[in-house]
Amino acid sequence: MRSEWDEEKTFDIQGDIHVGDLAPDGGQLRPFIVWFEEPVPKLEKAVYIVEDADVFVIIGTSLQVYPAAGLINYVPKHVPRYIIDKHIPSLPSYLNVTAIESTATEGVKKLRELLM
């Protein structure tokens, strides 16, 4: 998690985050994720990491929110791609994605079995 005021400092999650749970800088603690209509921090760095990935996993998304949804297009063709979601979105066949239609918790367990 991170402070709403400083996205550079992160903190280990110790349980649910509640309104009023503050970071040391006084900002509200929040998950370190991108909410709808928020800019994607460090998108260029994310592209660089994705281009060098050994495995690419997408969990819990409709793949409709850009620019983050476009990261899948930077994955090298030889890299295995997986999506875990309760409702798998329509995906172009050229992406070669293995779909795991499940909750995130159960889907990650299935992914682990596939990767072992």
Side-chain angles (χ1 to χ4, degrees):
M1 60 189 170
R2 70 170 180 86
S3 168
E4 66 182 345
W5 292 345
D6 184 353
E7 63 188 47
E8 297 296 322
K9 290 184 182 175
T10 60
F11 307 93
D12 290 339
I13 296 174
Q14 302 296 321
D16 290 340
I17 303 169
H18 299 94
V19 173
D21 292 344
L22 304 179
D25 67 5
Q28 172 67 46
L29 287 171
R30 56 165 285 172
F32 198 168
I33 61 171
V34 178
W35 298 112
F36 286 102
E37 298 185 11
E38 285 185 328
V40 179
K42 303 180 185 180
L43 185 61
E44 294 81 16
K45 184 176 180 181
V47 168
Y48 176 76
I49 291 168
V50 167
E51 289 174 331
D52 195 40
D54 295 320
V55 175
F56 188 74
V57 180
I58 303 163
I59 302 174
T61 182
S62 65
L63 287 174
Q64 300 300 308
V65 181
Y66 285 82
L71 285 173
I72 194 170
N73 297 310
Y74 293 93
V75 179
K77 290 183 182 355
H78 69 279
V79 171
R81 304 157 192 208
Y82 300 88
I83 183 166
I84 300 169
D85 197 271
K86 289 192 285 187
H87 307 287
I88 301 294
S90 176
L91 300 167
S93 61
Y94 71 85
L95 291 177
N96 292 330
V97 176
T98 299
I100 302 172
E101 194 158 11
S102 180
T103 64
T105 302
E106 292 303 314
V108 169
K109 290 177 187 176
K110 290 177 187 176
L111 175 64
R112 184 171 182 234
E113 292 171 9
L114 289 171
L115 295 176
M116 293 184 88

